[in-house]
């Protein structure tokens, strides 16, 4: 799409030039040369400036977003390759974002920035006048890549910062600067490596929105909503309130919900699930209707599978780490304060929750009276 837009701008300029030629035929000869020079210079100047602005504000941010998602997708699905490499997540991400020919066996990114920048230079050269030249630095050491989450990204995106040196030369002017890009990349659809890692590859889970978050940015008619979601899902995100039906859908889809006591996406990609993220924490629940609970264990100190009926909350990071800590002043004994969700035991055998989340998910009615 970038290429088509750029070509469209160029062909528009060419059309203006052709109209100018027709007008020049009717002009006195002494004025023709002057008008042609002025029009050509003005067109080149405007085209060069517009393109450089578009490069900075649209083309490069779109490339960073596409390349980042591709790199994250590959890492999340081939996480064993990352662990085997001995490299941390951030280092691997930076390498794959910039160049596919990394030293991490089993990982790659066909849409890396080096490839995309080369393609952009190639297409620009083919569709622009001979007097125009675009040069984009592909030096990894100059790229200054970082990945982050904060209040702006929220829990379901990551921010990616990248620097690119760009130079545009024309017959009338030159543009040259280091362009600092920030792109926001969604995590929806990526795999959560926590599940595969802690179940020894028996279970895989993918980031998706909770029932309450599904329609947060959606403006649609009731008929359109019914075509996309179930009546339960519609009721949940319209009411913005949990109940046992909302929670059942939530667990069925192994979805995620924001919680400042939980780890963030980046922490999960580092398998760092014993600490929380106040801005971007997300958690899901193990779905006992999909996973054979007797084949997995909970916590690092529980090596013996103890059957289906485990004495542990089913919050994912609490279950796998053996603790729900991470916040100063948190009650270390509350891991012992768990209860069955009796109203859902027919759907999810033996599913349990800690008392703090009993209120958080509005599930008090699920207790046996």
């Amino acid at each position: 799409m970038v290429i088509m837009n750029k070509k469209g701008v160029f062909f528009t300029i060419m059309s203006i030039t052709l109209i100018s030629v027709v007008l020049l035929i009717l002009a006195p000869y002494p004025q023709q040369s002057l008008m042609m020079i002025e029009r050509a210079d003005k067109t080149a100047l405007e085209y060069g400036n517009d393109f450089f602005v578009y490069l900075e504000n649209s083309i490069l941010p779109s490339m960073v977003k596409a390349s980042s998602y591709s790199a994250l997708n590959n890492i999340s699905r081939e996480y064993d390759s990352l662990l085997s490499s001995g490299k941390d997540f951030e280092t691997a991400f930076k390498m794959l974002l910039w160049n596919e020919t990394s030293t991490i066996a089993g990982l790659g990114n066909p849409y890396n920035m080096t490839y995309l920048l080369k393609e952009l230079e190639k297409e620009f050269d083919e569709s622009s006048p001979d007097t125009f030249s675009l040069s984009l630095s592909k030096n990894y050491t100059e790229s200054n890549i970082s990945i982050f989450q904060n209040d702006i990204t929220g829990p379901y995106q990551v921010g990616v910062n990248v620097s690119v040196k760009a130079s545009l030369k024309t017959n009338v002017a030159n543009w040259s600067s280091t362009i600092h890009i920030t792109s926001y990349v969604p995590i929806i659809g990526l795999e959560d490596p926590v599940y595969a890692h802690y179940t020894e590859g028996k279970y895989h889970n993918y980031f998706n929105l909770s029932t309450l978050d599904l329609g947060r940015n959606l403006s649609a008619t009731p008929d359109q909503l019914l075509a996309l979601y179930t009546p339960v899902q519609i009721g949940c995100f319209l009411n913005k309130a949990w109940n046992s039906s909302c929670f059942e859908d939530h667990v069925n889809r192994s979805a995620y919900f924001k919680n400042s006591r939980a780890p963030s996406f980046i922490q999960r990609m580092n398998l760092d699930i014993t600490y929380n993220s106040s801005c971007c924490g997300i958690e899901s629940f193990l779905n006992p209707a999909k996973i054979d609970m007797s084949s997995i264990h909970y916590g690092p100190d529980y090596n013996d599978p103890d059957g289906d009926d485990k004495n542990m909350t089913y919050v994912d990071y609490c279950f796998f780490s053996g603790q729900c800590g991470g916040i100063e002043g948190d009650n270390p004994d509350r891991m012992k304060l768990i209860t069955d969700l009796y109203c859902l035991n027919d759907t999810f055998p033996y599913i349990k929750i800690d008392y703090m989340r009993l209120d958080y998910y509005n599930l008090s009615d699920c207790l046996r009276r």
Side-chain angles (χ1 to χ4, degrees):
M1 185 169 62
V2 169
I3 296 170
M4 291 301 295
N5 286 343
K6 179 161 61 64
K7 287 183 176 179
V9 172
F10 178 64
F11 288 133
T12 300
I13 292 170
M14 296 307 297
S15 299
I16 294 172
T17 303
L18 290 174
I19 294 172
S20 300
V21 170
V22 173
L23 294 175
L24 285 171
I25 294 175
L26 303 177
Y29 180 78
Q31 296 179 354
Q32 290 182 16
S33 297
L34 179 61
M35 289 177 62
M36 184 170 291
I37 292 172
E38 288 178 346
R39 288 179 184 275
D41 287 352
K42 182 179 179 181
T43 300
L45 187 64
E46 290 177 348
Y47 172 51
N49 186 70
D50 288 348
F51 177 78
F52 208 79
V53 170
Y54 190 52
L55 178 73
E56 180 176 4
N57 296 312
S58 183
I59 298 176
L60 290 179
S62 296
M63 285 183 171
V64 171
K65 185 173 184 177
S67 185
S68 296
Y69 190 88
S70 180
L72 291 172
N73 189 47
N74 188 262
I75 293 174
S76 72
R77 283 166 167 74
E78 303 294 339
Y79 201 80
D80 285 344
S81 296
L82 175 64
L83 295 178
S84 299
S85 73
K87 291 182 172 60
D88 61 89
F89 161 67
E90 281 86 354
T91 298
F93 170 74
K94 292 175 185 179
M95 294 171 64
L96 293 180
L97 172 68
W98 201 255
N99 198 327
E100 184 184 23
T101 57
S102 67
T103 58
I104 305 177
L107 294 179
N109 178 14
Y111 303 107
N112 62 82
M113 286 298 294
T114 297
Y115 167 76
L116 294 178
L117 293 174
K118 286 181 179 178
E119 287 297 301
L120 178 58
E121 287 178 337
K122 176 184 174 183
E123 293 298 331
F124 185 89
D125 182 63
E126 292 179 355
S127 60
S128 298
D130 293 339
T131 55
F132 283 40
S133 174
L134 176 67
S135 177
L136 302 163
S137 173
K138 301 161 202 70
N139 189 334
Y140 176 71
T141 61
E142 296 176 345
S143 54
N144 295 322
I145 304 167
S146 64
I147 182 170
F148 63 91
Q149 285 186 290
N150 56 24
D151 290 332
I152 296 176
T153 68
Y156 298 114
Q157 295 183 116
V158 294
V160 179
N161 290 325
V162 177
S163 297
V164 177
K165 287 186 176 181
S167 176
L168 174 62
K169 296 181 179 180
T170 73
N171 57 311
V172 294
N174 297 330
W175 292 261
S176 181
S177 69
T178 298
I179 299 175
H180 301 286
I181 306 150
T182 299
S183 285
Y184 297 100
V185 185
I187 67 168
I188 303 304
L190 301 176
E191 182 173 346
D192 183 351
V194 167
Y195 278 82
H197 178 73
Y198 285 99
T199 64
E200 299 177 335
K202 296 183 180 72
Y203 188 65
H204 298 265
N205 205 39
Y206 301 86
F207 294 104
N208 66 97
L209 295 170
S210 77
T211 312
L212 271 63
D213 286 324
L214 280 172
R216 57 191 176 146
N217 297 319
L218 183 66
S219 176
T221 66
D223 288 342
Q224 290 172 327
L225 289 175
L226 286 171
L228 296 170
Y229 306 119
T230 68
V232 168
Q233 291 170 345
I234 294 172
C236 291
F237 69 66
L238 289 181
N239 294 329
K240 294 297 179 186
W242 287 102
N243 56 44
S244 59
S245 295
C246 297
F247 186 77
E248 181 177 0
D249 176 86
H250 181 71
V251 177
N252 259 325
R253 295 187 302 105
S254 301
Y256 291 76
F257 193 60
K258 53 187 177 293
N259 189 339
S260 62
R261 294 177 179 266
S264 67
F265 166 79
I266 291 180
Q267 288 172 308
R268 288 170 178 271
M269 294 300 290
N270 283 293
L271 298 180
D272 183 14
I273 58 173
T274 59
Y275 296 95
N276 73 299
S277 170
S278 58
C279 74
C280 308
I282 48 176
E283 63 186 24
S284 65
F285 284 77
L286 275 71
N287 185 345
K290 292 182 178 179
I291 187 171
D292 178 8
M293 298 299 292
S294 65
S295 68
I296 66 172
H297 56 80
Y298 62 90
D301 300 325
Y302 302 92
N303 295 319
D304 296 324
D306 50 358
D308 291 326
D309 190 5
K310 299 181 187 297
N311 191 37
M312 173 62 72
T313 179
Y314 277 41
V315 179
D316 61 355
Y317 78 96
C318 299
F319 187 96
F320 292 129
S321 70
Q323 59 180 307
C324 287
I327 294 183
E328 184 178 356
D330 199 12
N331 181 1
D333 295 326
R334 70 183 172 85
M335 286 298 298
K336 302 175 183 177
L337 302 176
I338 59 175
T339 183
D340 284 279
L341 295 176
Y342 294 104
C343 70
L344 298 176
N345 272 174
D346 290 341
T347 307
F348 308 119
Y350 309 117
I351 189 169
K352 296 176 178 65
I353 194 170
D354 54 274
Y355 274 90
M356 185 200 76
R357 286 175 177 80
L358 195 69
D359 294 330
Y360 191 71
Y361 290 95
N362 194 28
L363 297 172
S364 298
D365 290 344
C366 278
L367 297 182
R368 182 174 288 170
R369 302 298 181 186

